[in-house]
Amino acid sequence: MNEAEGNLVLLAIESSCDDTAAAVTEGNRVKAHLVSGQRVHNEHGGIVPELASRAHQRNILPVVDAVLRNAGNSLEDLDGIAYTQGPGLPGSLHVGVAFARSLALSQGLPVFPVHHLQAHVLSHFIDTETPPDFPFLCCTVSGGHTQLVLMRGWDDIELIGSTLDDAAGEAFDKTARLLGFPYPGGPVLDQYAQEGDPEAFSFPEARVEGYDFSFSGLKTAVLYKVRKMTANGEELSPRALKDLAASVQDAVRSHIAAKIKKAIKGKTPASLGLAGGVAANSALRKELREIGAEAGLPVHIPPFEYCTDNAAMIGVAASLLSKGEKSSPEKKLVPLPRAPFPSKRSPVEV
Ligand code: KG4
Ligand code: ZN
């Protein structure tokens, strides 16, 4: 513990999907963090849950060991262990939760269960002297989630909209697959889109109430378009691939932009943010900056290493939200694969 500032030194563990990640954090500072990605899924064109949990089993001990070494800490220096409680893949969560609680029990340390999607929002507060002002409107876009969250304070983080079907990253990956790009297709699609015409094809925007999103219609529209274009057995030309990529990217960008603009009107935030792996998308980053400039609002996008799944955001979220509250590892703080977005900051115990 850093006595002067009262900041907890935490070991944090994240294993909700296909990355095994560990970090040592002190308050909102990161002493060290590591992510071990799992390439085993690439050849399958998507994440295979059973392979993910086996890879977590293999990786977790070496990753934790290495991150402690990189931070220059030993287990004796820790004030507690933070871990992702959910949502996520059940088998993947189980590995991280069992590891974290067992280690905490053996060391006599408290635990800090963290909601993965709250942590994505709080990634904006990592290592920064200029955190977002409240109310903070954050759009979290990843391969598994698409959410709009309004954070009014540490005790008040409200989910105001989410996807009714596919996540934005899923929409990119599925349409990229239809264009023949390797998995995960989002980054490749982004590259092709750089040289394409976003107005070459028009894909209808989903009509969804309020601040919710829908992306599943897009892949069907792209599927029909590609089928039509290849009906005579021809391959898609490089020009067509670039134009299709740019038009798909534009459809996703435009849907997300419309909801953010609507939330700015309806919720009058003081700052804007983008989190999750899809925050790497060039069109989306540019769009958010333009929306911010137009509305006169500061825009925050964390470094990419804290946008994709990582354990630094888990440790920092535990520190910022716990306010000194600790839980015993003996409590039944089990994995919650479908954990609802918490309306209060307390950990979910079952
Ligand atoms: O948050 P993340 O690393 O992982 C999880 O969802 O767990 O997000 C990965 C997603 C994938 O769908 C990937 O295709 C997408 O982010 N992605 C992108 C870009 N970079 C990553 N999508 C569009 N454009 C990009 N540049
Ligand atoms: Zn995530």
Side-chain angles (χ1 to χ4, degrees):
M1 160 109 65
N2 178 333
E3 293 295 345
E5 296 177 15
N7 284 333
L8 299 173
V9 176
L10 300 178
L11 170 68
I13 290 167
E14 151 64 36
S15 71
S16 63
C17 193
D18 62 337
D19 294 308
T20 318
V24 179
T25 57
E26 184 169 347
N28 77 330
R29 302 272 161 207
V30 181
K31 298 190 73 183
H33 90 108
L34 281 175
V35 182
S36 171
Q38 301 179 357
R39 274 185 284 276
V40 62
H41 307 285
N42 292 5
E43 67 198 71
H44 297 276
I47 293 162
V48 184
E50 176 62 23
L51 294 180
S53 41
R54 285 188 205 187
H56 284 307
Q57 288 279 11
R58 274 196 306 277
N59 295 341
I60 197 155
L61 190 52
V63 169
V64 166
D65 197 37
V67 88
L68 281 167
R69 244 181 300 120
N70 291 356
N73 287 118
S74 65
L75 291 172
E76 288 74 49
D77 302 327
L78 301 176
D79 296 313
I81 301 186
Y83 61 85
T84 304
Q85 189 179 19
L89 298 172
S92 291
L93 287 169
H94 266 286
V95 177
V97 175
F99 185 91
R101 287 177 65 202
S102 310
L103 186 61
L105 259 181
S106 75
Q107 298 297 307
L109 288 169
V111 290
F112 298 82
V114 172
H115 191 280
H116 181 83
L117 291 158
Q118 275 197 336
H120 269 303
V121 177
L122 289 157
S123 64
H124 289 88
F125 296 84
I126 298 175
D127 275 340
T128 177
E129 303 294 340
T130 52
D133 288 330
F134 299 139
F136 169 47
L137 178 68
C138 176
C139 183
T140 305
V141 272
S142 73
H145 305 277
T146 302
Q147 297 192 333
L148 265 181
V149 170
L150 189 70
M151 182 173 179
R152 297 185 187 87
W154 305 113
D155 288 345
D156 189 350
I157 309 177
E158 186 195 354
L159 177 67
I160 60 169
S162 51
T163 183
L164 303 178
D165 39 58
D166 291 350
E170 219 175 336
F172 278 130
D173 293 340
K174 286 178 176 171
T175 48
R177 194 177 181 157
L178 292 172
L179 303 184
F181 302 151
Y183 176 86
V188 188
L189 190 137
D190 191 351
Q191 271 180 356
Y192 270 75
Q194 309 283 335
E195 293 173 29
D197 174 5
E199 289 173 10
F201 301 94
S202 80
F203 296 114
E205 189 177 331
R207 289 189 188 185
V208 194
E209 293 286 302
Y211 305 115
D212 287 335
F213 303 86
S214 168
F215 294 101
S216 67
L218 180 61
K219 67 172 186 279
T220 316
V222 176
L223 174 68
Y224 288 145
K225 183 66 72 186
V226 169
R227 270 197 196 151
K228 207 169 162 192
M229 291 170 76
T230 55
N232 299 332
E234 314 124 68
E235 291 207 344
L236 292 171
S237 68
R239 174 86 260 145
L241 282 174
K242 289 172 185 169
D243 286 347
L244 280 164
S247 303
V248 165
Q249 181 166 278
D250 200 58
V252 174
R253 175 206 59 76
S254 146
H255 189 42
I256 294 173
K259 296 298 176 159
I260 293 175
K261 285 179 184 168
K262 190 177 173 125
I264 291 174
K265 269 202 188 131
K267 303 284 182 182
T268 53
S271 61
L272 305 177
L274 199 59
V278 183
N281 184 261
S282 56
L284 208 51
R285 296 171 82 90
K286 186 162 168 269
E287 174 73 56
L288 194 72
R289 295 205 190 285
E290 283 172 10
I291 293 175
E294 207 169 287
L297 297 174
V299 169
H300 300 263
I301 306 177
F304 187 57
E305 61 184 318
Y306 299 140
C307 282
T308 52
D309 284 348
N310 67 90
M313 68 179 188
I314 303 299
V316 168
S319 275
L320 295 178
L321 299 185
S322 72
K323 305 258 177 69
E325 271 175 34
K326 301 168 182 179
S327 298
S328 159
E330 288 168 53
K331 286 189 177 176
K332 293 199 185 96
L333 295 164
V334 295
L336 296 174
R338 302 172 72 85
F341 198 91
S343 51
K344 290 280 168 218
R345 67 186 151 82
S346 52
V348 186
E349 196 183 334
V350 292

